[in-house]
mmCIF file with all atom_site columns, all heavy atoms in Angstrom:
data_model
loop_
_atom_site.group_PDB
_atom_site.id
_atom_site.type_symbol
_atom_site.label_atom_id
_atom_site.label_alt_id
_atom_site.label_comp_id
_atom_site.label_asym_id
_atom_site.label_entity_id
_atom_site.label_seq_id
_atom_site.pdbx_PDB_ins_code
_atom_site.Cartn_x
_atom_site.Cartn_y
_atom_site.Cartn_z
_atom_site.occupancy
_atom_site.B_iso_or_equiv
_atom_site.pdbx_formal_charge
_atom_site.auth_seq_id
_atom_site.auth_comp_id
_atom_site.auth_asym_id
_atom_site.auth_atom_id
_atom_site.pdbx_PDB_model_num
ATOM 1   N N   . ASP A 1 159 ? 102.831 117.346 79.511 1.00 0.00 ? 279 ASP A N   1
ATOM 2   C CA  . ASP A 1 159 ? 103.180 117.301 80.933 1.00 0.00 ? 279 ASP A CA  1
ATOM 3   C C   . ASP A 1 159 ? 104.411 116.416 81.099 1.00 0.00 ? 279 ASP A C   1
ATOM 4   O O   . ASP A 1 159 ? 104.292 115.204 81.293 1.00 0.00 ? 279 ASP A O   1
ATOM 5   C CB  . ASP A 1 159 ? 102.010 116.749 81.754 1.00 0.00 ? 279 ASP A CB  1
ATOM 6   C CG  . ASP A 1 159 ? 102.281 116.795 83.256 1.00 0.00 ? 279 ASP A CG  1
ATOM 7   O OD1 . ASP A 1 159 ? 103.412 117.156 83.648 1.00 0.00 ? 279 ASP A OD1 1
ATOM 8   O OD2 . ASP A 1 159 ? 101.370 116.463 84.035 1.00 0.00 ? 279 ASP A OD2 1
ATOM 9   N N   . PRO A 1 160 ? 105.636 116.997 81.006 1.00 0.00 ? 280 PRO A N   1
ATOM 10  C CA  . PRO A 1 160 ? 106.880 116.218 81.063 1.00 0.00 ? 280 PRO A CA  1
ATOM 11  C C   . PRO A 1 160 ? 107.047 115.396 82.343 1.00 0.00 ? 280 PRO A C   1
ATOM 12  O O   . PRO A 1 160 ? 107.869 114.488 82.389 1.00 0.00 ? 280 PRO A O   1
ATOM 13  C CB  . PRO A 1 160 ? 107.968 117.298 80.957 1.00 0.00 ? 280 PRO A CB  1
ATOM 14  C CG  . PRO A 1 160 ? 107.290 118.451 80.306 1.00 0.00 ? 280 PRO A CG  1
ATOM 15  C CD  . PRO A 1 160 ? 105.874 118.423 80.791 1.00 0.00 ? 280 PRO A CD  1
ATOM 16  N N   . SER A 1 161 ? 106.263 115.723 83.378 1.00 0.00 ? 281 SER A N   1
ATOM 17  C CA  . SER A 1 161 ? 106.382 114.951 84.615 1.00 0.00 ? 281 SER A CA  1
ATOM 18  C C   . SER A 1 161 ? 105.737 113.567 84.483 1.00 0.00 ? 281 SER A C   1
ATOM 19  O O   . SER A 1 161 ? 105.968 112.689 85.315 1.00 0.00 ? 281 SER A O   1
ATOM 20  C CB  . SER A 1 161 ? 105.736 115.705 85.782 1.00 0.00 ? 281 SER A CB  1
ATOM 21  O OG  . SER A 1 161 ? 104.330 115.811 85.614 1.00 0.00 ? 281 SER A OG  1
ATOM 22  N N   . LYS A 1 162 ? 104.914 113.376 83.439 1.00 0.00 ? 282 LYS A N   1
ATOM 23  C CA  . LYS A 1 162 ? 104.276 112.093 83.211 1.00 0.00 ? 282 LYS A CA  1
ATOM 24  C C   . LYS A 1 162 ? 105.123 111.272 82.240 1.00 0.00 ? 282 LYS A C   1
ATOM 25  O O   . LYS A 1 162 ? 105.397 111.713 81.127 1.00 0.00 ? 282 LYS A O   1
ATOM 26  C CB  . LYS A 1 162 ? 102.866 112.283 82.645 1.00 0.00 ? 282 LYS A CB  1
ATOM 27  C CG  . LYS A 1 162 ? 101.887 112.906 83.635 1.00 0.00 ? 282 LYS A CG  1
ATOM 28  C CD  . LYS A 1 162 ? 100.493 112.997 83.040 1.00 0.00 ? 282 LYS A CD  1
ATOM 29  C CE  . LYS A 1 162 ? 99.501  113.573 84.049 1.00 0.00 ? 282 LYS A CE  1
ATOM 30  N NZ  . LYS A 1 162 ? 98.133  113.667 83.474 1.00 0.00 ? 282 LYS A NZ  1
ATOM 31  N N   . VAL A 1 163 ? 105.545 110.091 82.711 1.00 0.00 ? 283 VAL A N   1
ATOM 32  C CA  . VAL A 1 163 ? 106.420 109.229 81.920 1.00 0.00 ? 283 VAL A CA  1
ATOM 33  C C   . VAL A 1 163 ? 105.710 107.905 81.651 1.00 0.00 ? 283 VAL A C   1
ATOM 34  O O   . VAL A 1 163 ? 105.011 107.364 82.517 1.00 0.00 ? 283 VAL A O   1
ATOM 35  C CB  . VAL A 1 163 ? 107.751 108.970 82.659 1.00 0.00 ? 283 VAL A CB  1
ATOM 36  C CG1 . VAL A 1 163 ? 108.639 108.010 81.880 1.00 0.00 ? 283 VAL A CG1 1
ATOM 37  C CG2 . VAL A 1 163 ? 108.481 110.289 82.895 1.00 0.00 ? 283 VAL A CG2 1
ATOM 38  N N   . TYR A 1 164 ? 105.898 107.398 80.440 1.00 0.00 ? 284 TYR A N   1
ATOM 39  C CA  . TYR A 1 164 ? 105.319 106.116 80.041 1.00 0.00 ? 284 TYR A CA  1
ATOM 40  C C   . TYR A 1 164 ? 106.429 105.236 79.469 1.00 0.00 ? 284 TYR A C   1
ATOM 41  O O   . TYR A 1 164 ? 107.370 105.742 78.832 1.00 0.00 ? 284 TYR A O   1
ATOM 42  C CB  . TYR A 1 164 ? 104.225 106.310 78.991 1.00 0.00 ? 284 TYR A CB  1
ATOM 43  C CG  . TYR A 1 164 ? 103.061 107.151 79.469 1.00 0.00 ? 284 TYR A CG  1
ATOM 44  C CD1 . TYR A 1 164 ? 103.111 108.545 79.411 1.00 0.00 ? 284 TYR A CD1 1
ATOM 45  C CD2 . TYR A 1 164 ? 101.914 106.545 79.980 1.00 0.00 ? 284 TYR A CD2 1
ATOM 46  C CE1 . TYR A 1 164 ? 102.047 109.312 79.856 1.00 0.00 ? 284 TYR A CE1 1
ATOM 47  C CE2 . TYR A 1 164 ? 100.844 107.311 80.418 1.00 0.00 ? 284 TYR A CE2 1
ATOM 48  C CZ  . TYR A 1 164 ? 100.922 108.689 80.356 1.00 0.00 ? 284 TYR A CZ  1
ATOM 49  O OH  . TYR A 1 164 ? 99.870  109.458 80.804 1.00 0.00 ? 284 TYR A OH  1
ATOM 50  N N   . TYR A 1 165 ? 106.311 103.943 79.704 1.00 0.00 ? 285 TYR A N   1
ATOM 51  C CA  . TYR A 1 165 ? 107.295 102.996 79.189 1.00 0.00 ? 285 TYR A CA  1
ATOM 52  C C   . TYR A 1 165 ? 106.615 102.002 78.249 1.00 0.00 ? 285 TYR A C   1
ATOM 53  O O   . TYR A 1 165 ? 105.487 101.577 78.499 1.00 0.00 ? 285 TYR A O   1
ATOM 54  C CB  . TYR A 1 165 ? 107.956 102.224 80.335 1.00 0.00 ? 285 TYR A CB  1
ATOM 55  C CG  . TYR A 1 165 ? 108.659 103.112 81.335 1.00 0.00 ? 285 TYR A CG  1
ATOM 56  C CD1 . TYR A 1 165 ? 108.162 103.270 82.620 1.00 0.00 ? 285 TYR A CD1 1
ATOM 57  C CD2 . TYR A 1 165 ? 109.819 103.797 80.982 1.00 0.00 ? 285 TYR A CD2 1
ATOM 58  C CE1 . TYR A 1 165 ? 108.798 104.093 83.531 1.00 0.00 ? 285 TYR A CE1 1
ATOM 59  C CE2 . TYR A 1 165 ? 110.463 104.620 81.885 1.00 0.00 ? 285 TYR A CE2 1
ATOM 60  C CZ  . TYR A 1 165 ? 109.945 104.770 83.165 1.00 0.00 ? 285 TYR A CZ  1
ATOM 61  O OH  . TYR A 1 165 ? 110.580 105.587 84.065 1.00 0.00 ? 285 TYR A OH  1
ATOM 62  N N   . ARG A 1 166 ? 107.329 101.655 77.189 1.00 0.00 ? 286 ARG A N   1
ATOM 63  C CA  . ARG A 1 166 ? 106.896 100.529 76.381 1.00 0.00 ? 286 ARG A CA  1
ATOM 64  C C   . ARG A 1 166 ? 107.817 99.364  76.716 1.00 0.00 ? 286 ARG A C   1
ATOM 65  O O   . ARG A 1 166 ? 109.041 99.494  76.675 1.00 0.00 ? 286 ARG A O   1
ATOM 66  C CB  . ARG A 1 166 ? 106.948 100.838 74.884 1.00 0.00 ? 286 ARG A CB  1
ATOM 67  C CG  . ARG A 1 166 ? 106.248 99.749  74.048 1.00 0.00 ? 286 ARG A CG  1
ATOM 68  C CD  . ARG A 1 166 ? 106.202 100.104 72.564 1.00 0.00 ? 286 ARG A CD  1
ATOM 69  N NE  . ARG A 1 166 ? 105.483 101.331 72.308 1.00 0.00 ? 286 ARG A NE  1
ATOM 70  C CZ  . ARG A 1 166 ? 104.168 101.446 72.270 1.00 0.00 ? 286 ARG A CZ  1
ATOM 71  N NH1 . ARG A 1 166 ? 103.403 100.391 72.508 1.00 0.00 ? 286 ARG A NH1 1
ATOM 72  N NH2 . ARG A 1 166 ? 103.592 102.599 72.006 1.00 0.00 ? 286 ARG A NH2 1
ATOM 73  N N   . THR A 1 167 ? 107.216 98.254  77.068 1.00 0.00 ? 287 THR A N   1
ATOM 74  C CA  . THR A 1 167 ? 107.989 97.087  77.487 1.00 0.00 ? 287 THR A CA  1
ATOM 75  C C   . THR A 1 167 ? 107.736 95.917  76.540 1.00 0.00 ? 287 THR A C   1
ATOM 76  O O   . THR A 1 167 ? 106.782 95.921  75.758 1.00 0.00 ? 287 THR A O   1
ATOM 77  C CB  . THR A 1 167 ? 107.616 96.676  78.925 1.00 0.00 ? 287 THR A CB  1
ATOM 78  O OG1 . THR A 1 167 ? 106.209 96.359  78.973 1.00 0.00 ? 287 THR A OG1 1
ATOM 79  C CG2 . THR A 1 167 ? 107.916 97.789  79.910 1.00 0.00 ? 287 THR A CG2 1
ATOM 80  N N   . GLN A 1 168 ? 108.611 94.923  76.667 1.00 0.00 ? 288 GLN A N   1
ATOM 81  C CA  . GLN A 1 168 ? 108.435 93.713  75.864 1.00 0.00 ? 288 GLN A CA  1
ATOM 82  C C   . GLN A 1 168 ? 109.184 92.574  76.532 1.00 0.00 ? 288 GLN A C   1
ATOM 83  O O   . GLN A 1 168 ? 110.304 92.745  77.030 1.00 0.00 ? 288 GLN A O   1
ATOM 84  C CB  . GLN A 1 168 ? 108.974 93.913  74.441 1.00 0.00 ? 288 GLN A CB  1
ATOM 85  C CG  . GLN A 1 168 ? 108.753 92.715  73.522 1.00 0.00 ? 288 GLN A CG  1
ATOM 86  C CD  . GLN A 1 168 ? 109.121 93.031  72.082 1.00 0.00 ? 288 GLN A CD  1
ATOM 87  O OE1 . GLN A 1 168 ? 109.266 94.185  71.689 1.00 0.00 ? 288 GLN A OE1 1
ATOM 88  N NE2 . GLN A 1 168 ? 109.275 91.988  71.268 1.00 0.00 ? 288 GLN A NE2 1
ATOM 89  N N   . GLY A 1 169 ? 108.559 91.410  76.564 1.00 0.00 ? 289 GLY A N   1
ATOM 90  C CA  . GLY A 1 169 ? 109.249 90.226  77.053 1.00 0.00 ? 289 GLY A CA  1
ATOM 91  C C   . GLY A 1 169 ? 110.304 89.783  76.058 1.00 0.00 ? 289 GLY A C   1
ATOM 92  O O   . GLY A 1 169 ? 110.096 89.871  74.838 1.00 0.00 ? 289 GLY A O   1
ATOM 93  N N   . ASP A 1 170 ? 111.442 89.292  76.538 1.00 0.00 ? 290 ASP A N   1
ATOM 94  C CA  . ASP A 1 170 ? 112.523 88.879  75.641 1.00 0.00 ? 290 ASP A CA  1
ATOM 95  C C   . ASP A 1 170 ? 112.064 87.790  74.674 1.00 0.00 ? 290 ASP A C   1
ATOM 96  O O   . ASP A 1 170 ? 112.575 87.691  73.557 1.00 0.00 ? 290 ASP A O   1
ATOM 97  C CB  . ASP A 1 170 ? 113.712 88.369  76.455 1.00 0.00 ? 290 ASP A CB  1
ATOM 98  C CG  . ASP A 1 170 ? 114.438 89.488  77.183 1.00 0.00 ? 290 ASP A CG  1
ATOM 99  O OD1 . ASP A 1 170 ? 114.030 90.654  77.049 1.00 0.00 ? 290 ASP A OD1 1
ATOM 100 O OD2 . ASP A 1 170 ? 115.434 89.195  77.887 1.00 0.00 ? 290 ASP A OD2 1
ATOM 101 N N   . ALA A 1 171 ? 111.103 86.960  75.102 1.00 0.00 ? 291 ALA A N   1
ATOM 102 C CA  . ALA A 1 171 ? 110.632 85.865  74.255 1.00 0.00 ? 291 ALA A CA  1
ATOM 103 C C   . ALA A 1 171 ? 109.406 86.250  73.427 1.00 0.00 ? 291 ALA A C   1
ATOM 104 O O   . ALA A 1 171 ? 108.929 85.430  72.632 1.00 0.00 ? 291 ALA A O   1
ATOM 105 C CB  . ALA A 1 171 ? 110.303 84.648  75.119 1.00 0.00 ? 291 ALA A CB  1
ATOM 106 N N   . ASN A 1 172 ? 108.912 87.462  73.592 1.00 0.00 ? 292 ASN A N   1
ATOM 107 C CA  . ASN A 1 172 ? 107.699 87.885  72.893 1.00 0.00 ? 292 ASN A CA  1
ATOM 108 C C   . ASN A 1 172 ? 108.023 88.538  71.548 1.00 0.00 ? 292 ASN A C   1
ATOM 109 O O   . ASN A 1 172 ? 109.032 89.233  71.417 1.00 0.00 ? 292 ASN A O   1
ATOM 110 C CB  . ASN A 1 172 ? 106.889 88.859  73.753 1.00 0.00 ? 292 ASN A CB  1
ATOM 111 C CG  . ASN A 1 172 ? 106.303 88.188  74.978 1.00 0.00 ? 292 ASN A CG  1
ATOM 112 O OD1 . ASN A 1 172 ? 106.358 86.972  75.120 1.00 0.00 ? 292 ASN A OD1 1
ATOM 113 N ND2 . ASN A 1 172 ? 105.727 88.983  75.865 1.00 0.00 ? 292 ASN A ND2 1
ATOM 114 N N   . ASP A 1 173 ? 107.157 88.338  70.573 1.00 0.00 ? 293 ASP A N   1
ATOM 115 C CA  . ASP A 1 173 ? 107.349 88.933  69.253 1.00 0.00 ? 293 ASP A CA  1
ATOM 116 C C   . ASP A 1 173 ? 106.826 90.360  69.173 1.00 0.00 ? 293 ASP A C   1
ATOM 117 O O   . ASP A 1 173 ? 107.235 91.122  68.292 1.00 0.00 ? 293 ASP A O   1
ATOM 118 C CB  . ASP A 1 173 ? 106.636 88.088  68.180 1.00 0.00 ? 293 ASP A CB  1
ATOM 119 C CG  . ASP A 1 173 ? 107.251 86.699  68.026 1.00 0.00 ? 293 ASP A CG  1
ATOM 120 O OD1 . ASP A 1 173 ? 108.476 86.573  68.234 1.00 0.00 ? 293 ASP A OD1 1
ATOM 121 O OD2 . ASP A 1 173 ? 106.507 85.749  67.725 1.00 0.00 ? 293 ASP A OD2 1
#
Side-chain angles (χ1 to χ4, degrees):
D279 185 355
S281 67
K282 292 183 178 180
V283 177
Y284 299 84
Y285 301 111
R286 191 176 300 281
T287 60
Q288 183 172 344
D290 289 359
N292 292 351
D293 294 328

